């Protein structure tokens, strides 16, 4: 019974996607993801989503995968990207979780003309002033998620905000985008701090300083292990009952919100995907993912899934090598689990909805209660001259 149900769900989720994959050729793909460090779980989730898309496309044997651990460290990422391109001679690369790694590999990718499908790292410059026709992003840009939250929080009446984030490219870009739109909408940033990335175990001193600034709310970006530690300490140090916590939705990702437990209840954040999106495409995807992995998919799973799906679509359209994959990737457009997904030809960044959600109790567990949708968010070109 369970197998029949799964087969039906998969068929429904991907009927159009499976059709016409007969032209798939041997494509060698280098997966560059963290398998260690603070973002290791994110890398595994992206890989699971990616493999699911290839299987669903019905041609996973036509894609040869070579996997490398970036450790979420820029120098390691560059060394591994060079190995994938020069030694393994991959036709395309997929992955990269950290904005710092993406910034570090950008020139090598551009120079070697190997298409890279970014399945997480939000570095604004990679689809802005340092864009490349070889870099296509199916995840998000850091500004794309945080800019709408600045406007939204000002609109609901939040006036004074204190911000916190890890001290690396993503932390700065996410907070800059939030602060800019929040201030433009009339809000005030009453203080800001950047914490050492991957090293901060005790957020106590930062939280004490934040509280002393008397904000209406605190807005943060943290992801992976740091998000779990931060959300738990925010609650246990007693701030949650007095100062509401907001952020980009990686803070309370379905991937690890269970590890945060009740401390995550009431936290309001924004993302481009949550498993509670109420569409037939998403319901089918969630059911198929749960049947395969016994857990709800997170934004990282969907990013991996869409990275696999755009590659399958490119091959379906006749791509066989680096140049033709590059050409096909910028033409991708479909409606999937997250809603509409279009690659913007002006920047190669994804155009997509952003969802504001609150983490709420659901029986013994936690779920994502949708409280707003900002439709079809598209980044400005920001100095990108692709078109
Ligand atoms: C980034 O470095 O771009 C990033 C890492 C984890 C989650 C979201 C963004």
């Amino acid at each position: 019974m369970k197998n029949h149900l799964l087969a039906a769900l998969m068929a429904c989720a991907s009927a159009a996607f499976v059709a016409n994959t007969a032209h798939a050729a041997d494509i060698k793909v280098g997966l560059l993801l963290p398998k260690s460090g603070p973002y290791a779980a994110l890398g595994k989730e992206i890989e699971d989503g990616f493999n699911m898309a290839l299987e669903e496309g019905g041609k996973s044997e036509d894609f040869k995968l070579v996997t490398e651990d970036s450790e979420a460290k820029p120098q390691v990422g560059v060394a591994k990207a060079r190995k994938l391109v020069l030694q393994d001679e991959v036709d395309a690369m997929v992955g990269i979780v950290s904005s710092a790694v993406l910034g570090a590999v950008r020139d090598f990718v551009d120079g070697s003309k190997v298409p890279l499908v970014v399945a997480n790292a939000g570095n604004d410059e990679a689809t802005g002033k340092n864009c490349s026709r070889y870099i296509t992003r199916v995840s998000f840009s850091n500004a794309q998620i945080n800019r709408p939250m600045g406007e939204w929080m000002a609109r609901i009446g939040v006036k004074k905000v204190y911000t916190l984030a890890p001290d690396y490219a993503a932390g700065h870009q996410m907070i800059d985008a939030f602060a800019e739109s929040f201030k433009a909408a009339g809000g005030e940033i009453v203080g800001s701090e950047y914490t050492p990335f991957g090293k901060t175990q005790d957020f106590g001193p930062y939280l004490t300083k934040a509280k002393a600034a008397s904000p209406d709310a605190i807005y943060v970006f943290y992801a992976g292990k740091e998000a779990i530690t931060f959300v738990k300490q925010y609650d246990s140090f007693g701030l949650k009952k007095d100062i509401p916590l907001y952020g980009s939705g990686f803070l309370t990702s379905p991937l690890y919100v269970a590890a945060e437990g009740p401390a995550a209840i009431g936290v309001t954040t924004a993302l481009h995907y949550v498993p509670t999106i109420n569409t037939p495409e998403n319901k089918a995807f969630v059911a198929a993912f749960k049947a395969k992995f016994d857990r709800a998919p997170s934004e990282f799973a969907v990013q991996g899934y869409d990275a696999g799906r755009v590659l399958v679509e490119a091959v379906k359209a006749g791509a066989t090598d680096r140049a033709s994959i590059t050409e096909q990737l910028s033409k991708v457009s479909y409606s999937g689990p997250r809603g509409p997904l279009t690659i913007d030809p002006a920047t190669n960044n994804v155009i997509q909805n952003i969802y504001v959600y609150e983490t709420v109790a659901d029986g013994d567990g936690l779920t994502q209660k949708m409280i707003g949708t900002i439709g079809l968010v598209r980044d400005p070109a920001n100095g990108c001259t692709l078109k």
Side-chain angles (χ1 to χ4, degrees):
M1 182 62 197
K2 195 178 166 204
N3 285 345
H4 284 128
L5 181 62
L6 176 58
L9 288 165
M10 294 290 281
C12 169
S14 58
F17 174 41
V18 174
N20 193 22
T21 50
H23 302 295
D26 278 350
I27 303 287
K28 202 168 185 186
V29 178
L31 281 180
L32 184 54
L33 291 165
K35 294 190 170 290
S36 51
Y39 292 155
L42 285 56
K44 165 80 172 60
E45 178 89 337
I46 291 169
E47 195 171 349
D48 284 347
F50 180 79
N51 286 327
M52 184 171 157
L54 298 196
E55 280 170 30
E56 209 178 272
K59 291 278 176 187
S60 49
E61 70 278 8
D62 289 320
F63 288 87
K64 295 198 177 89
L65 306 183
V66 188
T67 306
E68 288 296 340
D69 180 6
S70 70
E71 301 172 31
K73 292 181 182 153
Q75 320 85 294
V76 177
V78 172
K80 297 293 176 67
R82 291 179 66 83
K83 184 245 173 204
L84 287 169
V85 170
L86 302 174
Q87 188 178 317
D88 301 315
E89 299 185 336
V90 296
D91 298 301
M93 287 193 287
V94 168
I96 309 202
V97 165
S98 158
S99 282
V101 175
L102 180 55
V105 302
R106 185 268 170 208
D107 285 353
F108 173 70
V109 170
D110 188 61
S112 57
K113 299 185 168 39
V114 175
L116 165 65
V117 181
V118 179
N120 188 71
N123 194 323
D124 293 324
E125 294 176 354
T127 51
K129 70 175 183 172
N130 292 332
C131 69
S132 160
R133 63 186 302 250
Y134 303 101
I135 299 177
T136 305
R137 182 156 50 203
V138 297
S139 48
F140 56 88
S141 78
N142 293 330
Q144 190 177 35
I145 297 211
N146 294 276
R147 188 175 60 234
M149 268 306 260
E151 289 158 16
W152 190 82
M153 283 177 63
R155 206 166 50 237
I156 62 165
V158 180
K159 295 204 170 4
K160 293 190 293 170
V161 167
Y162 191 98
T163 66
L164 281 164
D167 190 9
Y168 82 102
H172 285 268
Q173 292 180 1
M174 297 218 193
I175 296 303
D176 284 353
F178 167 78
E180 197 179 311
S181 67
F182 183 62
K183 287 191 284 188
E188 185 191 350
I189 302 294
V190 294
S192 199
E193 189 93 57
Y194 293 95
T195 55
F197 174 51
K199 295 186 191 123
T200 309
Q201 308 287 335
D202 178 9
F203 288 97
Y206 301 102
L207 294 174
T208 304
K209 230 173 130 182
K211 191 176 176 186
S214 302
D216 298 333
I218 294 190
Y219 186 89
V220 307
F221 160 66
Y222 286 105
K225 280 186 185 164
E226 290 198 309
I228 301 171
T229 309
F230 183 86
V231 167
K232 286 179 134 176
Q233 292 185 6
Y234 196 83
D235 188 25
S236 66
F237 292 163
L239 269 78
K240 201 179 114 183
K241 60 181 171 36
D242 297 327
I243 310 173
L245 178 59
Y246 293 83
S248 54
F250 311 103
L251 186 65
T252 47
S253 171
L255 180 60
Y256 37 75
V257 75
E260 294 170 352
I265 292 173
V267 179
T268 300
T269 55
L271 274 181
H272 51 301
Y273 176 78
V274 282
T276 47
I277 293 171
N278 192 9
T279 59
E281 286 98 341
N282 186 48
K283 284 181 180 165
F285 174 75
V286 169
F289 191 91
K290 274 187 179 164
K292 195 168 168 55
F293 298 108
D294 202 22
R295 62 179 193 269
S298 69
E299 67 280 17
F300 306 111
V302 167
Q303 292 162 192
Y305 172 81
D306 281 321
R309 189 162 167 176
V310 298
L311 274 180
V312 172
E313 298 268 355
V315 170
K316 262 168 56 179
T320 53
D321 57 15
R322 291 174 177 178
S324 50
I325 293 171
T326 302
E327 199 186 318
Q328 288 303 330
L329 283 176
S330 63
K331 297 181 185 160
V332 169
S333 180
Y334 56 81
S335 200
R338 69 178 87 179
L341 177 158
T342 301
I343 299 302
D344 184 349
T347 61
N348 274 359
N349 192 47
V350 58
I351 303 171
Q352 60 189 340
N353 294 343
I354 299 297
Y355 305 97
V356 182
Y357 72 96
E358 181 183 348
T359 299
V360 297
D362 178 25
D364 288 344
L366 297 168
T367 190
Q368 296 74 35
K369 181 180 156 203
M370 195 79 87
I371 50 180
T373 300
I374 298 129
L376 299 183
V377 179
R378 179 184 189 177
D379 274 356
N382 285 334
C384 175
T385 52
L386 282 186
K387 212 180 162 197

